Amino acid sequence: NLIWKAPLAGGSPTQFVTNPATPYSITVDASYVYWTSGQNTVLQADIGGAAVPATIAFGQVGVTGIAVDKSYVYWITSDSVRRVTIGGGVTQTLATGLPTPSAIAVDQGYVYWTSMAGGTVMKVPVAGGNPTTLATGQHGPNGLAVDATHVYWTNFGTQPAMHVCLDGAVMKAPIGGGTPVTLASGECLPGSLVVDATRVYWEDHDFGGYVLETSK
């Protein structure tokens, strides 16, 4: 029940928020820190850490991943993609009836998510509309990131037995749709990932935990 921060260049971590209602996923913009909570809420706090955290959405069953753009905070529940204006307001459902959504990302036009049980990567316009499927037949798609041209995700794969890596992978596909490309294969249990201008970085849950990278 703590949220921490540390200087980008390294240094001693300090408590940002104490007792933040069982935090799960976290994201930031220039002004606020946002997180989802195991108590079915979405919260935000001033990035300076001085203000008391504010709950901006209640009753979000199974809330997990979170993302933010200049106007809205987006998250996934056990079966839906939702958003609310920064600061709180009326919650809007962008997509529902989803099989176990697991990660979320946003750009200027779309919200993207992975569905572990459905084996899909999908998107919907940020204002709502008809969802589009970007990839099917994926084996436990999990972590997610997006840049100007592609969407990237990890396939969690099959739970390894006796620490034998099986079919975990790092994938990408054009944001407008197209054939998925494998960037890394034979991974054990790849999870969250991020991208920069040239590389993809991800964490692997197996073998005590690794952070890995590859070219985009």
Side-chain angles (χ1 to χ4, degrees):
N1 277 341
L2 295 173
I3 292 178
W4 295 81
K5 66 179 181 180
L8 286 174
S12 298
T14 57
Q15 290 183 19
F16 172 72
V17 174
T18 301
N19 192 27
T22 318
Y24 191 79
S25 294
I26 190 169
T27 192
V28 300
D29 62 16
S31 301
Y32 295 99
V33 179
Y34 311 85
W35 65 95
T36 56
S37 162
Q39 297 181 11
N40 297 333
T41 54
V42 182
L43 300 99
Q44 74 177 50
D46 187 279
I47 202 164
V52 175
T55 299
I56 56 175
F58 299 87
Q60 307 302 302
V61 177
V63 62
T64 53
I66 190 169
V68 64
D69 63 16
K70 63 182 181 180
S71 301
Y72 290 88
V73 183
Y74 305 81
W75 64 92
I76 47 180
T77 70
S78 57
D79 66 351
S80 65
V81 176
R82 298 179 180 178
R83 76 173 186 175
V84 72
T85 53
I86 291 173
V90 177
T91 299
Q92 179 183 1
T93 300
L94 304 180
T96 191
L98 309 178
T100 320
S102 52
I104 189 170
V106 63
D107 63 16
Q108 293 182 346
Y110 291 89
V111 184
Y112 305 80
W113 69 92
T114 51
S115 287
M116 284 194 92
T120 57
V121 181
M122 303 186 70
K123 70 177 183 179
V124 69
V126 292
N130 294 322
T132 300
T133 301
L134 298 175
T136 60
Q138 303 302 297
H139 202 154
N142 190 17
L144 186 66
V146 64
D147 64 15
T149 59
H150 288 84
V151 58
Y152 305 80
W153 68 93
T154 53
N155 279 337
F156 206 62
T158 304
Q159 180 75 28
M162 301 300 292
H163 292 289
V164 176
C165 295
L166 296 175
D167 52 358
V170 179
M171 310 290 295
K172 74 174 183 179
I175 57 175
T179 303
V181 174
T182 302
L183 299 177
S185 60
E187 298 301 300
C188 295
L189 296 172
S192 300
L193 83 165
V194 295
V195 298
D196 63 18
T198 60
R199 311 288 289 178
V200 181
Y201 308 85
W202 69 96
E203 49 92 10
D204 196 300
H205 296 280
D206 203 30
F207 300 118
Y210 285 107
V211 178
L212 304 101
E213 65 172 340
T214 191
S215 297
K216 290 166 71 173

